[in-house]
Structures are given as C-alpha cells and as structure tokens.
Amino acid sequence: KQGWDDNGVTSDFPLNLDREHNLYDHRKVVERENAESAFVSAAVVSVWDSQEHNNQALSPSAHPSTSEVKKSSIAAYPARFQTAIINFPPVDDSLGLELSQLFPERGQFEPIRSNAIAISSIPSSPPGILLSFQRGSTLAIVNHTLVPFQTDWQMGGLMNRNLFKPSLLSTSVRPGHRVLLDSNLKECSPSSSEATPTKTMSPFLNMWCTGGQGWSLAGIQGTGQTYFICWDGATDNTRGPFMFPLDQGSSGDSKTSSKSFCFASGVVPLMSHISNAENVTPSFHRIEAKLPTVSKPYYSLPSFLQEDACYSPKRSFSIAMEESIKITAKMEGGLDDIIVSALDSISTPIAKPTSGGRLNRSKMLAMSHKEKSKRLLRQCSSWTQLDDTKANHGIVHGQVIAVTIRLGTQFQSLTLRTNSIANPISTPFNQVLSWLCQRRDYYTAASVALSLLDDAEAVYELCGIPTSPEEELTHHKGLLDGIKPLGDDSVHENLSDTLTSLADMAVGCLIKGGATMSNTLEGFLARNKLYNAPRACLMLVGAISSAMSKEPAPKLKLNKNGDIMSMLSTAETPTENLIWPVRCLIKMAVVRQCLPSVILMLNATIPNELRWRAPKGQGLASSPRPSLGLFLELVDIILESTEEATRLFLNMMDEESGPNPYWFSISDDTKLALSLVSIHGKHVMLEEPEVRSWCLGRLAEEIESPTDSAYNDGDGPLLSDGWLKEVVTGALCNAECNIGLGLDAMLMKKSASQMSPSNGPEIACYRKDMLNVQELLIPHKHSCGLDFDLIISSLLILARRGCDWREGTQVSTQTLLNTVCGMAGRKTNTEPKFVFDSATVMRQCALSDNLQAAAFLIGGKKGLILECADLVVSNLAITVKDAELALFMGSLIELKGSVISIYGGISAPKESVFMPQYYHHHLLWLLEEHVLNVRIYGDFDSTSRMNPVYAGRICFRAWYCLTHPSTRRRSAEWLEGWMRQKLQLTRGESPMRLACAALVRTLLWADEAEGLDLSDSNEEPLLAAVIGFGGQFMAELAQACCGLIQSIPPHLAEEVMSSFGSSNMVSFEASLINSAQ
C-alpha cells in the first residue's frame, strides 16, 4: 500500500463492491482483502475528485428552462466523497473470446484469480481500472473503462446537486484493451505476505502497476519482469495494445535485484503550462457539420504594386517580374502576399553598377535549386512545423521524468516526452504530425492528418485497402486516440483556421512521403476544399525544386545540327520522383483555379527546365542542358491541364534573355521540339500565332533554298523529313479530319473494291484519288479548320524530296497536296482560324516547280491549262511557256508545227496497237468530268462550273500533243470508240444530247478567240480534222444534237435567231450536217 501512497492517495473511504466474480482468491488472508478494498476505494475516490468539473458544468446558467425541457438525462460521474457501487463484467467477458481460450483448464480447485492492480492517474480520460487475471502460468491484464451513469433531474427551479440519484457504475472493456503477459513461474517466488495455497495450485503472482494517460507500466514482483503498455490506438482484440518489455536487471546485482520488490512512484513535473484536468466527456465533432463556407479566396493586389503605395525597398523584382505579377493578379482577381514574398525570396537581385562602373557578377549568378527550395519552404508555416529543426525538436522530443522505480539497490526512472505531460489527455495534432515527420514516419503522419479531416477515402487509398460503395469506412478512426479533438472547447481558435492548418499539414505530410503517396495527394488536392492553395503551391514548388537539385546531368550529348526527331526518339523518360510533384501541383491549380500563379511560380523556380536551356555557369565552365525527356514531360503536364494553359505557358516572361516572352527565349531546336507537342491528339502549339509564324518562316527558308543545297554540308537537311511529316499530321489532327485519324487506308481500299468496268474501260487517274481524299479532309465543324499554309508548305518540301507524308499511308504526297490546294481558299463547312495567304503559297509552288499544286491552287480555266501543261511538260522536252502556247494561245496550224518539231527526234513506238498511257487516262477523266457530264443548259454559261467547250478544246489539244504522229490515226480511232461508248451514240442518236452539242461545238467550230469566220476559207483547220476523227463519227454527233442552239457559238446563235421569219433564213441543221460530212 505504500506504493499507492506515493501516488498521492491518502483517502481510505469505504466502497461497496458488487462483483459478479472474485477479484482475488477467497482463501487469501483477511489482511489482503482489507488492503485490496482500501486500494480500490482510494482509486475510485481519486477518479471522482478529478471529475469535479463535470458537476460544476451542471450550473443553473447552463441548464435549460422549465418551459423548454421537462425531463432529461445526462452522463456524469459521482460527486466528490459520494459512495458508488461498481459492477465488473464476468471473467469471460473481461478476458474476451481470444484470451479465454488461452487460459488452461486446471480443474475446479484452481479458478481464474483476479486482482485490481491500478487505476488511471490524474488526469486521465476516461478513467479506468486495471485488473490482472491468472491461472497457472498464464497472466493477463485487462483495462476496464469506467462507464458514466445516467442521472435524472426534475425541473422545478434551480438545480440542486442533492437531486442527483446515482445508480450503479459499470465498466466495459474497449477493443484492444487486453494484453497477455509472458510470466516465468520457475524463477518466481511467492510473496512472503501471502499464504501458500494448496500443492496443486500455482503460486500467486503479485503485480505492481502505475501509469498515465493511455499508458501503463506494469511488472511482477520478485521477477524483475517489467512491461510498458500503450493503450491508446489499440482497436483490435487480435493484436491488442502495444507492449514493450523492459529489462530491470541489466546493471548491478541482477540476481538480487530480480528478487527484490519494486516500488514505483509518480513524479509531478515542474512545468507551469501543464493542464491539470481536461473534460473527460468525449467531444465528438463531425467536421461536415462545422465546415466553413469555402469559396475562392479573394486576394487584393500586393501592396507594393498598388499605385498609391510606395515601392518597398526589400523587393528585388525586375520590371518583367512586376508586370507578370500584375497580369497574374488581374487574371485571378488578386494574388496572395505569400506568393509575392516567395517570389521575392528566390528572385535574382537586380545587378547595379559599382562605383567603378562594373556589374557585380556574384549577385547575378543564378540561385541553385536547393537554395530555392529552402527559401520557398521557409515561407510556409505548415511545412516548417514538420521539418526536423532544432526548435521542433525541443517541442516534441523534450523529456520529462514521469515515474521513478526502486528495485532493490537500483533506482531507475521512466521519462516521457514533454508534450505527453503538457497535454496528458490529448495532444494537439500539429505536435503529433511534427513528431512523426521527424521520425520519417510520413505514412502514419499522413494517415493521422487525413483521419482527423475525416477523409476516409484518402486513408483507405493510402493504406491500399480496397473499398466498396456499400462499406462503411471506419478503419481510420482508431488512429485518432490521444489527439485533441478539432472542436475542443479548450482551444480558443477559429475552427475554420484550425481545419485549414490541418489540411495544409496533411498536404505537407503527403509531399514528404514522396512518389509512393502521390496518388493519394493528387486525390486529396482534388477533393478537399480546406487547404490553403497558395501555401500548397509553395510546398509543391519547393518539392519540385528539391527534386531537380538531385537530378543527375543527362547522358545524351546533343549535336548542333542533329535531327530533332532522332533526339525525341532517344530522349530518356524522367523518373517519377521528378514528375509527381508537378502533376499534383497542376492538378491543384486546375481545381482551385489558380493556374496563372502556379505557372508564374514554376517560371521563377525552374526556368531552364521549362526552356531546355543550360543554366548559367560560373567562370568558363559550361553547364549541361537539362534532360530533353524532362522538358517534354513538364510541357505535357502543363499543357494538358486546361485549354488556356497553352496561352499562359507562352505568356511566361524570361529575364535572362531579354526580357522576352517564352517563345522568343528558347533556341531553335527547342522550338522544333515544342512545335510537335501533342496534347490529347492535337498539336496545340501549331494553333498559336507566334509558333505558327515561326514554322511558316522556317518552311519558307527551306523552299527558297536551292534543291542541291538543302543539306548543310552533309550534316542533314534544314528541316528533317520527320519534322515535316509531324507538322502535316498535326495540322490535320487539329482540324479533326478523318485522314489525320488514319482512316485513309480503309477508304482507299473501299474505293478500289467498288471500281467496276461496267461502263467502258476503267480510267486510272489521280483525280479519282483526290475525290476520295477530299472526303477525308473535311474538318470538324467545331475544330479550328485546316491550316492550308502549314500543310501546303510542308507537303511541297516532302513532294520535292520524294517522301511520303506519313509512314504506311495509301495516299501519295502529291495527291494529298493537290487535294489540299484544291480546297484552299474555297468555302468549307468550317472557317479556318488563320487567313490563307494565297499569294505566298502560289510563289512557293512556283519555286518548288510543282505545276499540279499550282494548277489546283488557281483552279478554273487557268488551273485546267496548268494541269494539262503539267502532263505535257512532264512527258515532253518542252517548257511551261511552250506548253501554254500549244494548249490555248497558238492556232491549230502552229500546234501542228510545234508537235512535228517536238517528235522529230523521237522514234515511233514498236506496238502497232494504241495503248493509252496514264496521261491519256487523265485527259479522258477531264473530258468525262467537264464535257461528257453536261446535264443542263446552264452549264454552258455557268460561273461555278467549267465551260465544256473551253475544257474540251484544252483536253483535245493536250491529247494531240501527247500522241506520237505515227500512232495518231490509231489513237483517234480508240478515242472515237471510247466516246461512242460513253455517249451511247448509235446511228446519230444519243441520250446525252447536250454532251454531243458540246463536242460538236468544240470539234467542228473554229476557236472563238477573235470571233467566227463563216467564209469558206480553209486556212484554219478544224480541231476534229487535226485529231483525226472520221467524218461518219462527226456527222452522227451533229445529228444527235440537231435542234440545240448550244451546238453553235453564242454570237452565231443570235444571228440565227434573228433571221427566223425572213426569206433568206439558212437551213442551219442541213448545212451543219453537210459541213460535217
């Protein structure tokens, strides 16, 4: 009993014990019963004394009025010096199912013996009684929690304490508050004060115990066995509480000490800030019920940037940084001062000339990533509380003696942390998180912080526990034992500020956890609305800078003229340790709508990594460029966040190069790599004006350079084929065309399978492929449209080099170029984002000697002339000018002469049968499209459709030029048969009368360039005679279109129409047939 007197227990009031099982062996001597009763009585009185404030809380002022409540009940403990009866549960209930099975059956003569060994010390919450249970060598300690009883009061005026009618006090055992000890009876001798039981019974173990809030120190007398038990946090019966055995016989005479009795005494520390008593009634505060109304915080313009404020001399911002801060504050509606202070801490001081006129180079040197990280994190109080600093060590690692133990001649003491004594019942969360982070236990720290915020989803994700929608998430609640509730009335703080501080520290714990906790952090940043976004931004940017400082130099050595595509293909993938903080930061910026300020912080912290630029070196030493893979990954994460991110990214200012905007602060190879960045299938950079303008400039330089000098001294082309292909593909993907999605192969195979020679021989012409490709080039109506300038310029270079525009494509580069040129400048379903510069593109077509592209770009009559001229020039040794003269400018006599001179040195083909070539097929397609497909009368005078007569004359002239004189008769016969089949011409009748009229007007009438000559002069031959068509065929054509005024020239038609009704009217139809014959 002396040991309990040392704990300050001097009362010896009686206590009625109504037990359903024996607290001790009934065969023990009466003196032991009296000592035990005195012990339990004193213990309970001490507990009551510590709960005096519970009764004081029931004051009249705190009590509801009679009109409001007629009768109610509250939970309370007995008043001071009041006798109460305590009921303990049965032995099996106390031990629980797990421990009951471990106690061996020793017969009816040896029951399970119990003994009250300690009560919870002052202050403690909730109060409890520790009982030991023994049978044989099995020994267990169970912590029984005292359950407050319900008291009824009668409303009838002021409250009176005498109105309380206490009932029985009961106890319960919380989950995990049972522990099994390993006792060694062979080395244990029974106490001399105990009576020896029968021979069949095991000796009784006399235990000693003391403790504090949530912990106990217990031992077995005469054995030297001592255990430290931590009850807080124990929620599982299978695991039990944390128990750590202590060795008390390690020094001195261990044999003598182990057999000596142990005397433990509590020590009251001399600390002025210790709370003597706290509310033991559990205060459960649901966070959801007290959450403040969260909205986007409004931050005013920083004071040093306001117009009516003086410039702070502590700020070292340049003009570019000031403007960037102003723009960001305007976009976000303000900027937090902590962001401004952080920018000021990492900004390079403005270099000022010294007295000698020199710049101080030491002040202009770039700050290291490690130093930037320290300065940024220093601005955030939530992070500094978690750091392993000397100041934090004093708070969480200070030691105070709590218990002294005398074992024989040895005198030992147990020390506890200062905060466990200063906050005996519960510890503030910031001290718990700080202590865990200093021990590098970020996993537990994050779990505790997230549990306090009641974010069960994050806790389960962090623990890797699978969840289902129907499951109640309660696994995390056991982590909160011993931590001060967030809504504790003793804390005179605003709950909103407390929750914000806790959320900030949760972010800090997850950041310290590294890549393994990044997914949990990302989800927390997206869900939680309590954390302070500017402070979270500082912590994440500081983590990014710290990670960059640990990144080794890249292994890839870059050549000045190296192919950017090969560099991109061999770029190293950055490690996850570098990427996860950036990903979490951008996620937070999107959710909290603070992307401008986040990009501002990144630009100030890692400007070189964002520009793939080597940092400033000291002296003559040169620093390597950052990793290309890291640069591309950073750009991808930022640009894929929102649609506005691309513009914000390009608006970044760089002080080192100017100051200049982002695009003008990077090198050419960086621009080449950045222009190809694809975000969600779109090359977003190609849609920005400065990027597009630079690309068009580089393409123009490539086109204007001579063909033989397209390579820089054998080091490679100015623009690689791979880069050009990516630009074409990117522009098509931006327009959301089907061909950009790779559907060209499917459509081309389908069109090839649908070809059938049912109506004459099949015509093979790239014009037919163009029609199929045109269907694939239709842009989506909600896209930016086709960028014709970029696509045509790139395709011109690829066509000149003879390269495919995409690997494995079914569409040739020239066909795609022709189709795009045919669509350029025409009306489409989607208006292009940029105005088409037709003059510049036409000039580039001429410089590239690409007549096909120029022909489709011009379109109309001139385009048809260039299209046919391309066929003539590519197959005959003549110039473009000579081809134009032969096709439409010269007379038929001049045409015959030029053809004779062209084929003068060309030998006749060996084949006797005429076989049309690809250029013949192309002309046949043009004849069928523009002449034979005439369906209405208005086609002859339409402005939207090619004039069939004009098109027929150009095509027939081109046919004549491309046919060798030796095969002209056979070619004319073949062409005559083809037209008979297409026109279904039989014995002067055809269902296609308008087409026959167009052919008659083309072949039987002279060119209408300078009017008609109706005389009988034979100086200018007819086109039909030049081609070699037979008279019978021409007569049937004329007969098939008799009566159609479209078969004669317009001014002759007027003359004929005016002669109707006169005596000199010419029989036009008869004369036309006769002339044909």
Side-chain angles (χ1 to χ4, degrees):
K1 186 176 179 181
Q2 179 63 32
W4 310 119
D5 289 340
D6 292 342
N7 282 331
V9 179
T10 56
S11 305
D12 204 359
F13 299 100
L15 177 68
N16 297 328
L17 298 177
D18 183 10
R19 294 169 293 185
E20 298 179 15
H21 63 81
N22 294 326
L23 284 178
Y24 49 88
D25 189 359
H26 287 283
R27 290 167 294 182
K28 290 180 181 287
V29 294
V30 179
E31 291 82 1
R32 185 151 198 61
E33 282 189 302
N34 294 335
E36 182 179 347
S37 299
F39 157 70
V40 177
S41 173
V44 175
V45 169
S46 299
V47 173
W48 295 345
D49 191 44
S50 65
Q51 309 306 326
E52 176 67 19
H53 60 278
N54 282 320
N55 296 329
Q56 295 176 357
L58 302 176
S59 60
S61 60
H63 197 276
S65 61
T66 307
S67 59
E68 294 177 352
V69 180
K70 294 182 178 180
K71 188 174 182 180
S72 180
S73 62
I74 62 170
Y77 291 98
R80 184 182 297 180
F81 310 133
Q82 182 178 358
T83 303
I85 302 174
I86 299 178
N87 285 331
F88 290 95
V91 176
D92 292 339
D93 293 344
S94 295
L95 293 176
L97 180 61
E98 292 80 4
L99 291 185
S100 297
Q101 297 176 355
L102 298 179
F103 277 76
E105 293 292 340
R106 298 293 296 271
Q108 58 180 349
F109 299 103
E110 189 173 357
I112 298 178
R113 292 176 289 182
S114 61
N115 188 25
I117 58 175
I119 63 171
S120 55
S121 61
I122 303 173
S124 61
S125 174
I129 301 176
L130 271 68
L131 302 182
S132 65
F133 297 88
Q134 179 191 350
R135 172 184 282 171
S137 61
T138 304
L139 180 64
I141 297 178
V142 180
N143 187 359
H144 292 72
T145 301
L146 194 64
V147 179
F149 54 75
Q150 298 293 326
T151 59
D152 301 335
W153 68 73
Q154 300 175 357
M155 306 303 299
L158 297 179
M159 286 197 57
N160 191 339
R161 178 176 297 186
N162 297 326
L163 295 178
F164 282 95
K165 298 180 179 180
S167 58
L168 296 178
L169 288 177
S170 61
T171 60
S172 65
V173 181
R174 294 186 175 184
H177 283 201
R178 302 177 178 93
V179 61
L180 183 67
L181 301 182
D182 184 16
S183 61
N184 190 353
L185 295 181
K186 294 181 180 180
E187 299 181 2
C188 175
S189 59
S191 173
S192 59
S193 62
E194 298 181 7
T196 304
T198 62
K199 296 181 180 180
T200 59
M201 297 181 61
S202 302
F204 183 79
L205 300 180
N206 186 12
M207 295 196 63
W208 62 271
C209 182
T210 185
Q213 175 63 39
W215 63 272
S216 298
L217 192 65
I220 304 174
Q221 296 285 14
T223 64
Q225 299 182 28
T226 307
Y227 303 91
F228 178 82
I229 306 172
C230 181
W231 306 104
D232 280 347
T235 59
D236 190 355
N237 285 327
T238 58
R239 297 181 181 180
F242 171 77
M243 183 178 66
F244 183 75
L246 303 177
D247 185 11
Q248 289 190 339
S250 58
S251 62
D253 188 357
S254 59
K255 185 175 181 180
T256 305
S257 300
S258 62
K259 296 183 178 180
S260 302
F261 276 82
C262 178
F263 298 95
S265 301
V267 178
V268 178
L270 299 177
M271 300 172 61
S272 59
H273 58 281
I274 294 179
S275 301
N276 292 323
E278 297 183 26
N279 192 344
V280 297
T281 304
S283 57
F284 299 101
H285 300 273
R286 295 192 60 82
I287 296 178
E288 305 86 53
K290 291 191 175 184
L291 280 180
T293 303
V294 180
S295 59
K296 179 175 174 57
Y298 176 78
Y299 304 113
S300 61
L301 192 65
S303 58
F304 80 98
L305 291 179
Q306 296 178 1
E307 296 181 358
D308 56 347
C310 298
Y311 187 83
S312 175
K314 297 181 180 180
R315 309 293 182 182
S316 57
F317 293 137
S318 63
I319 298 177
M321 180 59 72
E322 287 188 19
E323 292 300 323
S324 299
I325 293 177
K326 289 182 179 179
I327 294 174
T328 303
K330 184 177 181 180
M331 295 176 66
E332 296 187 4
L335 199 62
D336 195 347
D337 284 336
I338 191 174
I339 297 292
V340 180
S341 300
L343 290 171
D344 180 49
S345 65
I346 62 175
S347 296
T348 304
I350 302 175
K352 298 181 180 180
T354 60
S355 58
R358 296 183 177 181
L359 294 177
N360 191 343
R361 291 182 55 85
S362 61
K363 293 184 178 181
M364 296 180 63
L365 293 178
M367 196 179 301
S368 64
H369 286 307
K370 187 176 182 180
E371 182 63 25
K372 287 182 180 180
S373 177
K374 290 181 179 180
R375 296 192 180 192
L376 289 174
L377 297 176
R378 197 183 302 160
Q379 304 289 328
C380 187
S381 59
S382 301
W383 182 274
T384 56
Q385 294 182 65
L386 302 176
D387 268 346
D388 190 8
T389 60
K390 184 177 181 180
N392 291 338
H393 268 279
I395 297 176
V396 299
H397 288 288
Q399 296 290 316
V400 176
I401 297 178
V403 177
T404 60
I405 302 173
R406 181 166 58 86
L407 184 62
T409 58
Q410 297 183 21
F411 188 83
Q412 298 176 346
S413 60
L414 174 68
T415 61
L416 300 177
R417 293 189 308 276
T418 304
N419 59 353
S420 65
I421 303 300
N423 302 280
I425 295 182
S426 58
T427 305
F429 65 85
N430 57 336
Q431 295 185 16
V432 176
L433 299 180
S434 177
W435 178 76
L436 290 171
C437 288
Q438 291 173 30
R439 294 173 59 89
R440 304 294 189 268
D441 191 358
Y442 306 123
Y443 173 83
T444 305
S447 301
V448 169
L450 295 174
S451 299
L452 286 171
L453 292 169
D454 205 17
D455 193 345
E457 182 178 351
V459 177
Y460 275 62
E461 181 182 4
L462 186 63
C463 300
I465 302 175
T467 59
S468 60
E470 297 80 10
E471 181 184 2
E472 184 181 1
L473 306 182
T474 59
H475 174 77
H476 66 290
K477 294 183 178 180
L479 296 170
L480 307 183
D481 286 355
I483 300 178
K484 189 182 295 295
L486 298 180
D488 199 326
D489 296 335
S490 62
V491 181
H492 302 287
E493 294 182 5
N494 188 354
L495 179 59
S496 176
D497 296 338
T498 303
L499 293 175
T500 300
S501 177
L502 175 59
D504 291 344
M505 296 189 75
V507 173
C509 294
L510 291 171
I511 292 175
K512 286 180 175 291
T516 57
M517 300 184 186
S518 59
N519 292 334
T520 305
L521 173 60
E522 190 172 353
F524 177 79
L525 293 173
R527 292 188 305 269
N528 191 272
K529 299 183 182 300
L530 297 173
Y531 66 87
N532 183 273
R535 285 162 176 77
C537 173
L538 288 188
M539 289 187 282
L540 286 169
V541 174
I544 294 171
S545 184
S546 177
M548 296 297 176
S549 65
K550 303 174 184 177
E551 177 68 7
K555 301 178 182 179
L556 181 63
K557 295 183 179 179
L558 305 176
N559 298 324
K560 181 179 180 181
N561 297 322
D563 183 8
I564 189 62
M565 301 306 296
S566 63
M567 296 181 187
L568 294 176
S569 61
T570 57
E572 296 182 357
T573 303
T575 61
E576 183 65 16
N577 292 330
L578 291 174
I579 298 305
W580 73 261
V582 183
R583 186 173 59 247
C584 294
L585 175 64
I586 299 301
K587 182 71 173 182
M588 183 272 298
V590 173
V591 174
R592 290 300 186 90
Q593 302 179 5
C594 58
L595 188 60
S597 59
V598 166
I599 293 181
L600 178 65
M601 287 296 304
L602 286 175
N603 186 40
T605 308
I606 52 172
N608 298 318
E609 284 74 11
L610 292 176
R611 290 169 174 81
W612 194 31
R613 180 179 63 191
K616 285 184 178 180
Q618 299 183 5
L620 299 177
S622 60
S623 302
R625 299 175 75 175
S627 170
L628 176 59
L630 174 62
F631 161 72
L632 295 175
E633 191 68 25
L634 292 175
V635 173
D636 286 343
I637 294 175
I638 295 175
L639 298 190
E640 70 183 2
S641 58
T642 61
E643 294 182 357
E644 298 79 12
T646 305
R647 189 67 262 165
L648 294 173
F649 186 81
L650 292 175
N651 286 340
M652 292 189 304
M653 299 296 294
D654 180 54
E655 300 180 5
E656 183 177 330
S657 61
N660 285 320
Y662 177 84
W663 187 256
F664 302 98
S665 64
I666 57 179
S667 57
D668 283 351
D669 53 356
T670 306
K671 293 178 180 179
L672 289 172
L674 194 60
S675 60
L676 303 182
V677 171
S678 177
I679 304 298
H680 303 306
K682 289 188 176 182
H683 289 56
V684 293
M685 282 295 178
L686 296 179
E687 298 180 2
E688 299 302 325
E690 59 266 48
V691 180
R692 177 179 180 270
S693 177
W694 179 85
C695 292
L696 290 176
R698 291 299 305 269
L699 292 171
E701 292 178 5
E702 180 72 13
I703 293 174
E704 293 175 359
S705 62
T707 306
D708 55 355
S709 63
Y711 292 82
N712 290 334
D713 300 328
D715 292 333
L718 296 174
L719 295 176
S720 65
D721 297 339
W723 186 85
L724 294 171
K725 294 177 182 179
E726 282 294 324
V727 170
V728 175
T729 306
L732 295 176
C733 291
N734 290 345
E736 300 182 29
C737 301
N738 290 333
I739 195 172
L741 303 177
L743 300 180
D744 52 319
M746 183 184 303
L747 185 62
M748 297 302 289
K749 291 180 180 179
K750 181 179 179 181
S751 62
S753 62
Q754 292 176 351
M755 293 181 180
S756 60
S758 59
N759 192 16
E762 187 62 34
I763 299 175
C765 175
Y766 65 80
R767 272 278 201 163
K768 301 183 67 175
D769 294 338
M770 289 175 56
L771 294 178
N772 295 327
V773 173
Q774 187 172 352
E775 297 180 7
L776 297 174
L777 284 175
I778 299 176
H780 194 272
K781 62 180 181 179
H782 297 300
S783 66
C784 63
L786 288 170
D787 193 338
F788 295 105
D789 299 83
L790 274 179
I791 298 175
I792 294 175
S793 299
S794 302
L795 289 175
L796 283 173
I797 302 174
L798 290 173
R800 186 171 67 178
R801 297 179 183 176
C803 300
D804 292 335
W805 68 275
R806 187 172 62 189
E807 299 296 335
T809 181
Q810 300 292 327
V811 180
S812 66
T813 303
Q814 188 64 49
T815 301
L816 179 61
L817 175 60
N818 295 342
T819 310
V820 175
C821 289
M823 298 175 62
R826 277 71 170 179
K827 185 177 181 180
T828 59
N829 63 333
T830 303
E831 188 69 21
K833 183 177 182 180
F834 300 99
V835 179
F836 175 55
D837 188 1
S838 58
T840 301
V841 175
M842 177 59 67
R843 179 174 177 272
Q844 292 176 353
C845 291
L847 292 174
S848 302
D849 295 330
N850 200 315
L851 283 180
Q852 289 186 27
F856 293 106
L857 189 62
I858 296 176
K861 295 180 179 180
K862 294 182 179 180
L864 180 63
I865 294 172
L866 288 179
E867 185 177 354
C868 294
D870 173 69
L871 296 174
V872 175
V873 171
S874 59
N875 293 277
L876 300 176
I878 62 175
T879 62
V880 177
K881 185 176 182 180
D882 294 338
E884 291 178 349
L885 289 172
L887 293 177
F888 81 103
M889 296 182 65
S891 62
L892 292 177
I893 297 176
E894 294 174 346
L895 174 63
K896 294 174 66 177
S898 60
V899 170
I900 293 174
S901 61
I902 291 173
Y903 287 98
I906 301 176
S907 59
K910 298 180 181 180
E911 295 83 0
S912 59
V913 181
F914 173 76
M915 296 296 295
Q917 303 299 318
Y918 75 93
Y919 40 82
H920 293 115
H921 284 286
H922 191 87
L923 293 174
L924 293 176
W925 191 93
L926 293 176
L927 284 172
E928 186 176 3
E929 175 68 18
H930 298 300
V931 181
L932 303 185
N933 285 338
V934 177
R935 296 289 184 268
I936 59 177
Y937 297 105
D939 289 343
F940 287 86
D941 300 320
S942 176
T943 57
S944 60
R945 180 180 174 85
M946 180 73 67
N947 188 292
V949 178
Y950 185 89
R953 288 196 174 112
I954 298 298
C955 292
F956 282 122
R957 282 183 173 231
W959 183 280
Y960 180 78
C961 293
L962 292 171
T963 305
H964 197 276
S966 61
T967 60
R968 185 167 295 123
R969 184 180 61 83
R970 293 191 295 270
S971 70
E973 293 176 355
W974 189 94
L975 183 57
E976 179 182 326
W978 179 82
M979 286 192 295
R980 279 183 179 274
Q981 190 175 15
K982 290 293 182 180
L983 295 171
Q984 303 178 24
L985 181 63
T986 306
R987 296 178 181 180
E989 294 182 357
S990 172
M992 305 170 64
R993 298 186 66 208
L994 286 178
C996 294
L999 288 174
V1000 168
R1001 185 170 160 184
T1002 300
L1003 297 172
L1004 295 182
W1005 292 97
D1007 292 347
E1008 306 168 14
E1010 297 180 359
L1012 290 176
D1013 185 7
L1014 300 180
S1015 63
D1016 296 333
S1017 174
N1018 294 326
E1019 295 180 358
E1020 181 70 17
L1022 296 177
L1023 185 56
V1026 174
I1027 297 298
F1029 290 129
Q1032 182 65 29
F1033 172 69
M1034 297 307 302
E1036 292 184 15
L1037 276 179
Q1039 185 178 358
C1041 63
C1042 279
L1044 293 178
I1045 199 67
Q1046 285 78 14
S1047 60
I1048 61 176
H1051 46 276
L1052 182 59
E1054 295 177 1
E1055 193 173 321
V1056 171
M1057 295 298 294
S1058 63
S1059 64
F1060 282 132
S1062 62
S1063 57
N1064 298 327
M1065 183 179 65
V1066 181
S1067 178
F1068 174 71
E1069 296 181 3
S1071 62
L1072 183 61
I1073 296 175
N1074 292 333
S1075 62
Q1077 294 176 349

